[in-house]
Amino acid sequence: MSASIIVIHQAVLMFKEATLYSPVIKNEHGRVSVIFAKDHPGYQDRPYQEHRARIADLALRHKPDEPAPDIPYTEAEHETWRTVSAELSAKHRVHACREFIDASEQLDLRHDRLPQLSEVSARVQTLTGFTFGPAAGLVAQRDFYGSLADRRFQATQYIRHPSFPRFSPEPDMIHEVVGHGTHLSSNRWATLYELLGKTVRRLESDEAVSLVSRVFWFTIEYGLVIEDGRTKACGASLLSSCGEMDYFLGADIHPFDAAAMGRQGYLVEKYQPVLFRAESFNHFEDFLSEFLTSIDDDSELIAA
């Protein structure tokens, strides 16, 4: 079995979403490739595939004590950023919670071009002490969450295919920067991310970590809150997807409940049919803080 096949096999075992997240492989000669599923919009786009591979290679070569490498983004990628950024900004004014709006103003992303991850990292660091480091692709759960304890967020640097700009199952630069970058410009959110990282580092069982990951999905990624009697989007995935923000109010919405979140399945390849809502952003904070400080390897919630 070749080195590349071994890596693919391991990725499939570790992540059910492996093909959706386009696993990165390196063969025995050191050549980096990105594997695209047949239904990926970039499946037959060789220049896009090669560009993604070059970005992944830069991430794999990156040293932790250095800034994220600058990426030579194409004009088509800048245009995708401009188009999506403009639409997201308009939708945020209608659907985003106040904490996100305030953090977005602090981060002050430019709309005329795709920013470099190093630029965003430098700005976020001045605001909350969090930094961004480059990830070649999907990062193992314990590695990804654990790095949050050091106030470090591992982010991809590629951007979604231009033919499908309004939604991406993969965590691209739009998701990382608009979603998580904005979150991490808020001290309130940054505190939750750090607590999540510390929680995962102290947990030993994979089952407990999986439960934390599921709660993370339905709160940090897809959480909702009530403000002034209206349902507002709070999660990074919701707020970085134009398509999701057109859909989320039609989802089956439930109150925040860790046990229910642990039982609830989720989708990465399409809009979420089931979402959870906090009574306020204060409730969002309190719920997540209490869950993360109380969860342990023997928690009854794991078997709930």
Side-chain angles (χ1 to χ4, degrees), residues 2-174:
S2 71
S4 59
I5 293 176
I6 290 172
V7 176
I8 295 173
H9 181 62
Q10 290 172 339
V12 173
L13 289 176
M14 290 174 64
F15 306 105
K16 68 178 181 179
E17 302 95 348
T19 55
L20 289 169
Y21 285 169
S22 304
V24 175
I25 65 170
K26 179 184 285 189
N27 67 18
E28 60 270 26
H29 303 295
R31 180 181 175 83
V32 174
S33 302
V34 181
I35 305 302
F36 291 86
K38 289 185 177 180
D39 59 352
H40 191 287
Y43 179 69
Q44 293 185 315
D45 188 338
R46 180 57 63 83
Y48 179 77
Q49 293 176 16
E50 293 175 347
H51 184 52
R52 284 277 298 266
R54 287 191 292 270
I55 294 173
D57 187 44
L58 287 171
L60 292 173
R61 296 173 184 272
H62 175 260
K63 296 178 181 178
D65 58 343
E66 296 178 348
D70 284 352
I71 304 301
Y73 293 117
T74 66
E75 179 53 33
E77 288 174 319
H78 287 303
E79 182 58 31
T80 296
W81 171 267
R82 285 191 287 269
T83 299
V84 174
S85 181
E87 185 173 349
L88 286 176
S89 294
K91 292 182 184 300
H92 289 165
R93 289 192 289 271
V94 177
H95 295 300
C97 67
R98 280 190 293 270
E99 187 67 22
F100 188 89
I101 294 294
D102 291 345
S104 179
E105 291 174 354
Q106 289 294 312
L107 181 57
D108 193 23
L109 290 171
R110 57 188 303 166
H111 302 293
D112 61 325
R113 65 166 175 83
L114 183 55
Q116 294 292 339
L117 189 62
S118 59
E119 295 177 76
V120 179
S121 181
R123 177 59 180 160
V124 171
Q125 187 173 24
T126 66
L127 294 170
T128 66
F130 254 91
T131 60
F132 282 80
L138 194 62
V139 180
Q141 273 189 350
R142 286 185 181 274
D143 185 6
F144 172 74
Y145 292 126
S147 65
L148 300 178
D150 302 321
R151 294 214 160 205
R152 181 172 178 269
F153 190 98
Q154 299 184 67
T156 58
Q157 290 182 274
Y158 59 81
I159 191 169
R160 62 198 60 176
H161 195 271
S163 67
F164 207 68
R166 303 185 79 249
F167 174 79
S168 173
E170 300 178 281
D172 72 334
M173 272 287 283
I174 293 174

Side-chain angles (χ1 to χ4, degrees), residues 141-142 145 200 203 205-214:
Q141 273 189 350
R142 286 185 181 274
Y145 292 126
V200 169
L203 294 173
S205 78
D206 291 341
E207 292 78 11
V209 172
S210 292
L211 176 59
V212 170
S213 180
R214 191 65 62 93

Side-chain angles (χ1 to χ4, degrees), residues 163-211:
S163 67
F164 207 68
R166 303 185 79 249
F167 174 79
S168 173
E170 300 178 281
D172 72 334
M173 272 287 283
I174 293 174
H175 170 75
E176 310 284 40
V177 170
V178 176
H180 294 293
T182 302
H183 275 187
L184 294 173
S185 298
S186 155
N187 281 304
R188 297 173 77 179
W189 255 309
T191 298
L192 293 173
Y193 277 68
E194 182 182 17
L195 177 58
L196 189 142
K198 290 179 177 178
T199 299
V200 169
R201 280 194 173 168
R202 67 175 170 77
L203 294 173
E204 296 182 2
S205 78
D206 291 341
E207 292 78 11
V209 172
S210 292
L211 176 59

